[in-house]
Amino acid sequence: MRRMVRVHLHPIDGSIAQAFIERLLMFEITLCLDEKDAKEIQERHATLLQAGIAEVVVSNDSDLQFEFFPEANTIQVNDSCSIVLHDVLPSGRNSGLVNEELESIWNSIEHSMDGNASHYWVAESDVVDALVRIALHQPQLPESMDIAGRRRWSTQQTHHELQMLYNRTRAGSTGQFMASHLDQPASPKITVVPIDAIQQGTRPSLGPLHNVLVECDGHGWQPTSPLRTAMMVYLAGKLNG
């Protein structure tokens, strides 16, 4: 009988850690947590755990340890690999996940905003997917690697897209739709930058992450969540937080 992978993580607050746990519980894994955290997860995901696929135990004995944000924007794995997150669009709060430029765009959501700074947005769900693949396959990890999206967005493009989604959401909550709210505007023309491109500009190097994920399952770093969807999830978290 194949031994289940044992995964320890802490802390469990924050939308990324919570989404990571929820995804892990869909696989044959043993989730090793502190006593307080284990009780919380057992209660929150009782129905999922009753399926008998994964189990939650109180233990520090694990194959992989994930520590969320001991440093800003960094997930530490086994004290030997630092995963640095860039331009994540989170679904909720995460203590230690910092993006001042995204906060600036949000704070100007009802006003105009210009700017050509580079952003490589990535959905929280794609970040979590990468973490799950690492946990399940236990690849050889480098000392550090970066996670970011593959498409460059300017500040102005990001603000325009978020503002459109924000205005549509507010109109939906009040029922005060106008024709402009009901239109389905085209997304900005954003070009995918190849992972191994020589001229990447300001984008973090995605080669180490891609190689690790290829080792996991052969598919590499291929974010699948549409950025418009990720932005809607981000806005929902802001409006409901």
Side-chain angles (χ1 to χ4, degrees):
M1 182 177 178
R2 184 170 64 90
R3 176 178 176 273
M4 297 201 327
V5 177
R6 297 175 65 88
V7 179
H8 182 273
L9 64 116
H10 185 78
I12 66 168
D13 58 339
S15 63
I16 296 177
Q18 289 290 335
F20 183 42
I21 290 171
E22 189 169 344
R23 283 287 307 281
L24 283 176
L25 294 181
M26 298 178 184
F27 298 93
E28 292 185 1
I29 65 101
T30 298
L31 190 59
C32 305
L33 300 173
D34 300 339
E35 184 173 0
K36 178 177 176 292
D37 293 345
K39 182 178 180 180
E40 179 180 332
I41 296 305
Q42 288 166 343
E43 293 176 352
R44 180 179 301 175
H45 298 288
T47 302
L48 188 57
L49 288 168
Q50 285 174 2
I53 299 174
E55 63 177 358
V56 175
V57 301
V58 177
S59 175
N60 288 319
D61 179 23
S62 61
D63 302 303
L64 284 173
Q65 299 181 13
F66 290 81
E67 184 178 1
F68 283 81
F69 309 121
E71 299 178 15
N73 303 324
T74 302
I75 300 172
Q76 194 73 22
V77 184
N78 282 3
D79 293 327
S80 59
C81 175
S82 297
I83 302 177
V84 183
L85 308 186
H86 303 266
D87 292 338
V88 178
L89 292 165
S91 65
R93 296 180 180 178
N94 294 270
S95 178
L97 185 68
V98 181
N99 192 320
E100 294 179 358
E101 292 178 339
L102 181 57
E103 282 298 307
S104 178
I105 293 171
W106 165 250
N107 290 333
S108 300
I109 199 70
E110 295 184 348
H111 310 283
S112 61
M113 187 176 191
D114 295 322
N116 199 42
S118 297
H119 310 282
Y120 295 89
W121 305 116
V122 59
E124 176 183 279
S125 58
D126 284 314
V127 172
V128 169
D129 178 69
L131 296 178
V132 169
R133 291 159 69 187
I134 290 169
L136 294 177
H137 296 279
Q138 303 176 68
Q140 185 70 35
L141 295 174
E143 290 186 5
S144 67
M145 58 184 179
D146 300 285
I147 294 183
R150 295 182 58 187
R151 293 170 169 83
R152 178 192 177 277
W153 290 66
S154 70
T155 297
Q156 186 176 32
Q157 288 170 326
T158 305
H159 179 267
H160 181 270
E161 188 80 353
L162 278 173
Q163 189 177 65
M164 178 274 295
L165 295 170
Y166 173 81
N167 289 339
R168 182 183 294 176
T169 301
R170 299 293 287 181
S173 65
T174 60
Q176 297 177 342
F177 280 106
M178 295 186 295
S180 59
H181 293 136
L182 298 174
D183 288 341
Q184 181 72 11
S187 294
K189 293 183 178 180
I190 309 295
T191 303
V192 176
V193 180
I195 285 176
D196 57 354
I198 296 176
Q199 294 181 337
Q200 295 186 6
T202 58
R203 194 189 72 185
S205 173
L206 298 176
L209 171 67
H210 182 74
N211 293 337
V212 162
L213 296 178
V214 167
E215 183 182 341
C216 286
D217 51 29
H219 295 299
W221 177 233
Q222 299 174 357
T224 59
S225 179
L227 264 296
R228 179 170 283 178
T229 300
M231 290 181 179
M232 290 174 65
V233 170
Y234 166 76
L235 283 175
K238 281 293 190 182
L239 293 172
N240 298 325

